[in-house]
Amino acid sequence: MAKQNVAEQFVDILVRAGVRRLYGVVGDSLNPVVDAVRRSSDIDWIHVRHEETAAFAAGAEAQVTGNLAACAGSCGPGNLHLINGLYDAHRSMAPVLALASQIPSSEIGLGYFQETHPDRLFQECSHYSEMISSPQQMPRLLQTAIQHAVGRRGVSVVTLPGDVAAQPGPEKPLQSALVTSRPTVRPGDEEIDKLVDLIDRAQRVTLFCGSGTAGAHAEVMEFAGRVKSPVGHALRGKEWIQYDNPYDVGMSGLLGYGAAYEATHECDLLILLGTDFPYNAFLPDNVKIAQVDVRPEVLGRRSRLDLAVWGDVRETLRCLIPRVKEKTDRRFLDRMLKKHTDALEGVVKAYTRKVEKHVPIHPEYVASVLDEVAADDAVFTVDTGMCNVWAARYISPNGRRRIIGSFSHGSMANALPMAIGAQFTDRNRQVVSISGDGGFAMLMGDFLTLVQYDLPVKVVVFNNSSLGMVQLEMLVAGLPSYGTTNRNPDFAAVARACGAYGVRVEKPKDLPGALKDAFSHKGPALVDVVTDPNALSIPPKISAEMVTGFALSASKMVLDGGVGRMLQMARSNVRNVPRP
């Protein structure tokens, strides 16, 4: 048997770690690795049109599967293009291994063509970033990088010069067992005792949930029922906590709705569960706060804490449920449920008049129909900006759907590349890219990747010919809108020119049929929906806090839009409130 080179050993270790795809763009410094992938039957090279797409796709794959995913970029500009997608994956706690190939090792530090220093450049968006400078380093260094990405949930970057990749590997490479999953973390007894005491002493408890509640829905519901607590959520907590939730009071934050703000401010104990919610202006400063998170570094960095609890949300709640005293007074919970329903009733009225006849089409109507037409187990990838509003308020989670976006990093153009990674994990699962026209145009070249691999992603473009969120931010700050308009082509015609299915919708009556036809198409499809750029109204009273940092409006809601099927759920919850 011929001796393996470093690149072949590199690929073998990736396969042992469960990596099945390597997203990237080929280049000379990557040639040994790409050739090793070509000769392996256990891993595929996914050729994208831009390395930023490669990183976004890997991050989405990791979020959908929970497993390690990988991407690669050639030396210099090639791997620099990865950085934005890697920032997003890292901040989303997606385990991603990035290969940054490097110029010939003998030329490093001499100003060679395309020279950069990836091991330095990627430090801020990774848990681990190191260079392999000799074949003897490779097995241990790559395994260390994998264990950082998996164990700490984020990005690891390995820099590998092309000439080193082509050299013979070690005679007997280390075959250590690889860490491919994380343990559960239970808080210490002392912290549990303190948290039980806080809860038992409190009369009004509110839970505020983030993405750390993934896998803990049943425990959150049981605990909320035991302590009669309203349950609010951040945007990243929506998909895990909003469905089948009789205690739901909506979402807080810039895109918030319902009574989540009131519930977090009118309680006497707020428990933050698995959330690193960044907008401290929306958090109270005059109530007791306890925070539970598996990442100790996030405890207390957004608000003052009375108790910090290091542990998994599910394990912590399993410890609490049998120990806390069941509360019998649900007046606070019922009052918040009523406030939540009233708040949703109010915002819905603005978008129920002639919505099916309004031209240009209300984006709220598009989102509402999309929610109804999409599959019950669809994966939605969401562009940053106004598309975040539509996902937050209209896409109904049910425990099977996934909603993925650049919710922490806030990058444009993420939806299409994320859809690529999500679709590769399962070609039979519906994947819908909710794209803004600005975001779609930014990385539009990778629509060709859908066609090249015949990926059945459905791209729905909310085409208002503007950077809508930026325009709104300018208006809220009292500035005239400037530089926010887009002169767009007929995106459906572009899709057809690429060899995909494409349809343009300008009238509301045509929308349901257009979406159904596109979703039933077996290959990639694009629906270009011309939407109203003026659909969102600005609150009549602009507060100083809103102008400074786009923070709070008088109603604690920045955008006065609809809420789709959430109103139906809120009404159902209120009907279940016991009457005196």
Side-chain angles (χ1 to χ4, degrees):
M1 181 177 176
K3 185 176 181 180
Q4 285 188 315
N5 64 20
V6 168
E8 291 167 326
Q9 290 182 359
F10 189 100
V11 169
D12 281 355
I13 292 174
L14 288 184
V15 170
R16 285 179 50 218
V19 175
R20 294 296 173 260
R21 282 162 288 276
L22 192 56
Y23 300 89
V25 178
V26 296
D28 57 354
S29 58
L30 268 177
N31 285 346
V33 174
V34 174
D35 190 60
V37 171
R38 178 185 66 82
R39 289 181 282 108
S40 172
S41 60
D42 298 315
I43 189 170
D44 294 320
W45 177 263
I46 306 300
H47 168 51
V48 297
R49 303 307 173 100
H50 194 294
E51 290 91 349
E52 183 176 350
T53 295
F56 273 127
E61 178 180 323
Q63 290 182 71
V64 169
T65 65
N67 301 325
L68 183 71
C71 57
S74 58
C75 62
N79 62 59
L80 283 179
H81 284 157
L82 294 171
I83 196 164
N84 191 48
L86 292 183
Y87 258 99
D88 181 80
H90 193 56
R91 299 191 69 184
S92 299
M93 296 182 67
V96 171
L97 187 286
L99 168 60
S101 67
Q102 178 62 298
I103 63 172
S105 56
S106 60
E107 303 298 328
I108 295 174
L110 300 174
Y112 191 72
F113 175 66
Q114 293 190 326
E115 180 176 5
T116 59
H117 294 88
D119 51 316
R120 304 178 199 170
L121 290 167
F122 291 99
Q123 285 183 355
E124 191 174 317
C125 62
S126 67
H127 290 305
Y128 185 87
S129 181
E130 294 289 349
M131 184 174 74
I132 297 173
S133 56
S134 73
Q136 288 70 33
Q137 281 180 284
M138 200 287 294
R140 286 185 298 160
L141 193 147
L142 178 57
Q143 288 172 183
T144 299
I146 289 171
Q147 291 174 185
H148 272 78
V150 173
R152 299 184 64 184
R153 306 301 284 184
V155 170
S156 283
V157 181
V158 173
T159 300
L160 179 61
D163 61 310
V164 175
Q167 291 176 23
E171 288 285 349
K172 294 181 179 180
L174 189 66
Q175 293 288 327
S176 296
L178 290 169
V179 170
T180 56
S181 61
R182 301 178 76 200
T184 56
V185 178
R186 179 195 182 280
D189 291 336
E190 184 177 353
E191 283 70 33
I192 293 294
D193 291 342
K194 291 178 180 177
L195 187 51
V196 168
D197 184 63
L198 274 178
I199 295 167
D200 286 346
R201 288 175 179 269
Q203 293 183 322
R204 302 179 305 279
V205 179
T206 292
L207 307 182
F208 187 69
C209 303
S211 61
T213 57
H217 183 274
E219 287 79 7
V220 173
M221 295 303 107
E222 184 178 359
F223 181 71
R226 190 166 182 82
V227 299
K228 307 301 182 287
S229 168
V231 178
H233 61 267
L235 180 54
R236 290 192 65 200
K238 174 185 173 72
E239 62 178 326
W240 306 115
I241 218 67
Q242 187 192 18
Y243 69 96
D244 295 340
N245 181 354
Y247 315 106
D248 179 53
V249 291
M251 189 174 85
S252 191
L254 296 177
L255 310 182
Y257 54 82
Y261 183 92
E262 288 82 356
T264 56
H265 283 70
E266 295 180 27
C267 62
D268 53 25
L269 175 61
L270 172 62
I271 305 178
L272 306 174
L273 294 177
T275 179
D276 189 27
F277 182 69
Y279 304 110
N280 55 13
F282 287 86
L283 293 173
D285 55 12
N286 59 348
V287 305
K288 290 187 176 180
I289 303 177
Q291 184 177 4
V292 179
D293 207 289
V294 73
R295 299 168 296 167
E297 68 272 17
V298 309
L299 294 171
R301 73 178 180 183
R302 306 299 183 192
S303 65
R304 174 197 54 76
L305 291 185
D306 294 275
L307 181 63
V309 180
W310 181 9
D312 295 329
V313 170
R314 184 170 64 175
E315 293 303 313
T316 302
L317 293 180
R318 285 177 174 177
C319 293
L320 289 176
I321 289 168
R323 293 193 52 189
V324 297
K325 296 175 183 176
E326 183 168 5
K327 298 186 186 299
T328 57
D329 184 352
R330 53 175 293 151
R331 285 177 296 177
F332 174 63
L333 169 61
D334 293 344
R335 183 161 58 87
M336 290 300 111
L337 292 175
K338 180 66 166 57
K339 276 194 173 185
H340 179 59
T341 305
D342 290 345
L344 299 194
E345 294 274 9
V347 297
V348 162
K349 292 176 183 175
Y351 293 102
T352 54
R353 295 181 60 191
K354 300 181 180 179
V355 67
E356 297 180 8
K357 297 181 180 179
H358 184 87
V359 177
I361 303 171
H362 270 313
E364 297 85 356
Y365 177 65
V366 181
S368 179
V369 175
L370 174 60
D371 182 53
E372 295 284 351
V373 171
D376 287 341
D377 66 343
V379 178
F380 298 90
T381 60
V382 185
D383 260 345
T384 298
M386 296 314 308
C387 289
N388 274 191
V389 181
W390 317 139
R393 297 184 174 183
Y394 286 89
I395 301 305
S396 303
N398 56 13
R400 299 170 61 199
R401 286 177 165 181
R402 294 297 313 274
I403 306 172
I404 298 172
S406 186
F407 299 140
S408 295
H409 185 48
S411 174
M412 283 183 66
N414 61 284
L416 172 63
M418 284 181 166
I420 292 171
Q423 192 71 83
F424 265 115
T425 68
D426 185 350
R427 285 179 172 269
N428 296 317
R429 188 176 187 181
Q430 187 180 85
V431 176
V432 181
S433 173
I434 301 178
S435 298
D437 58 289
F440 178 72
M442 186 176 283
L443 284 176
M444 186 167 56
D446 267 292
F447 189 80
L448 296 170
T449 302
L450 301 184
V451 177
Q452 179 159 331
Y453 290 96
D454 196 28
L455 288 174
V457 170
K458 313 308 177 191
V459 180
V460 180
V461 181
F462 285 71
N463 185 359
N464 63 2
S465 297
S466 71
L467 303 178
M469 182 63 80
V470 179
Q471 186 177 37
L472 186 62
E473 290 167 349
M474 288 180 173
L475 293 172
V476 168
L479 301 172
S481 163
Y482 183 75
T484 59
T485 57
N486 296 324
R487 183 176 178 180
N488 292 324
D490 180 335
F491 289 120
V494 172
R496 293 193 295 271
C498 293
Y501 180 96
V503 61
R504 185 175 173 92
V505 181
E506 297 180 355
K507 297 180 180 179
K509 66 178 183 179
D510 299 330
L511 180 65
L515 287 175
K516 290 176 182 177
D517 289 346
F519 286 6
S520 64
H521 182 71
K522 295 188 182 300
L526 183 146
V527 182
D528 180 11
V529 187
V530 179
T531 60
D532 187 353
N534 301 311
L536 290 174
S537 63
I538 303 297
K541 181 179 179 181
I542 305 297
S543 66
E545 292 89 342
M546 288 182 67
V547 174
T548 307
F550 197 1
L552 299 170
S553 72
S555 64
K556 313 306 178 189
M557 295 174 57
V558 172
L559 304 173
D560 186 17
V563 288
R565 286 192 281 180
M566 285 183 286
L567 176 59
Q568 180 181 350
M569 184 175 71
R571 287 170 174 166
S572 176
N573 289 341
V574 167
R575 282 197 297 269
N576 294 327
V577 171
R579 301 301 179 191

